[in-house]
């Protein structure tokens, strides 16, 4: 969780130059998708940690029940989001990811008394540092007049 959070926040911040420089302007429409999906990716380690808790305790029956419940809950909404737009599907992925954190952490609370509130309190300092890192990366990417025209030069200070 510690390296993933700042990396995903950083990816969301630098998505435009990261896509523009190697791939060109043709790929710029994918930038909003990348930003939202990187925010959804920040929660992935919490999913894995909570599922590993259930597995480590030896309760594969609960793991199966949890996975079936998540699939049953998410599949009915998928065709509706697909009909609206791709961006609706991407936002649905983020919303489902947040919901799954609470679903996955339910059994962590039951089995080892480490619920979502405790997990978020323990991760708050890392989230704060990640937010600061993202803000600094965003500020470094602001178009100052001394930069060259390349969007990549906003990422590297020594390219002046």
């Amino acid at each position: 969780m510690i390296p993933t959070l700042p990396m995903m926040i950083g990816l969301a911040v630098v998505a435009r130059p990261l896509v523009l420089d190697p791939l060109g302007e043709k790929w710029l429409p994918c930038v909003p998708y990348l930003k939202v999906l990187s925010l959804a990716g920040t929660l992935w380690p919490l999913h894995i940690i909570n599922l590993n808790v259930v597995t480590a305790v030896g309760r594969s029956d609960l793991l199966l029940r949890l996975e079936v419940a998540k699939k049953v809950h998410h599949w009915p909404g998928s065709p509706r989001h697909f009909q609206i737009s791709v961006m609706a599907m991407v936002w649905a992925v983020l919303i489902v990811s947040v919901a799954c954190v609470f679903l996955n952490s339910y059994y962590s609370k039951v089995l080892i008394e480490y619920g979502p509130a405790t997990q978020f309190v323990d991760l708050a300092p890392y989230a704060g540092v990640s937010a600061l890192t993202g803000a600094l990366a965003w500020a470094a990417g602001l178009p100052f007049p001394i930069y060259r025209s390349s969007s990549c030069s906003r990422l590297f200070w020594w390219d002046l």
Side-chain angles (χ1 to χ4, degrees), residues 46-125:
L46 279 178
H47 296 295
I48 300 302
I49 290 168
N50 286 312
L51 294 176
N52 281 339
V53 165
V54 176
T55 305
V57 173
R59 296 296 308 266
S60 60
D61 60 325
L62 296 178
L63 186 63
L64 177 66
R65 184 182 304 164
L66 182 61
E67 291 300 322
V68 168
K70 287 191 298 188
K71 300 304 183 244
V72 167
H73 181 272
H74 304 307
W75 274 101
S78 297
R80 285 180 288 183
H81 297 122
F82 181 71
Q83 291 174 351
I84 297 172
S85 70
V86 175
M87 192 55 140
M89 285 180 30
V90 170
W91 278 105
V93 167
L94 178 61
I95 292 167
V96 165
S97 182
V98 171
C100 283
V101 165
F102 290 101
L103 287 173
N104 290 338
S105 62
Y106 171 76
Y107 285 122
S108 293
K109 183 176 182 177
V110 170
L111 296 172
I112 63 169
E113 298 177 7
Y114 190 59
T118 311
Q119 292 177 18
F120 287 130
V121 167
D122 288 345
L123 293 174

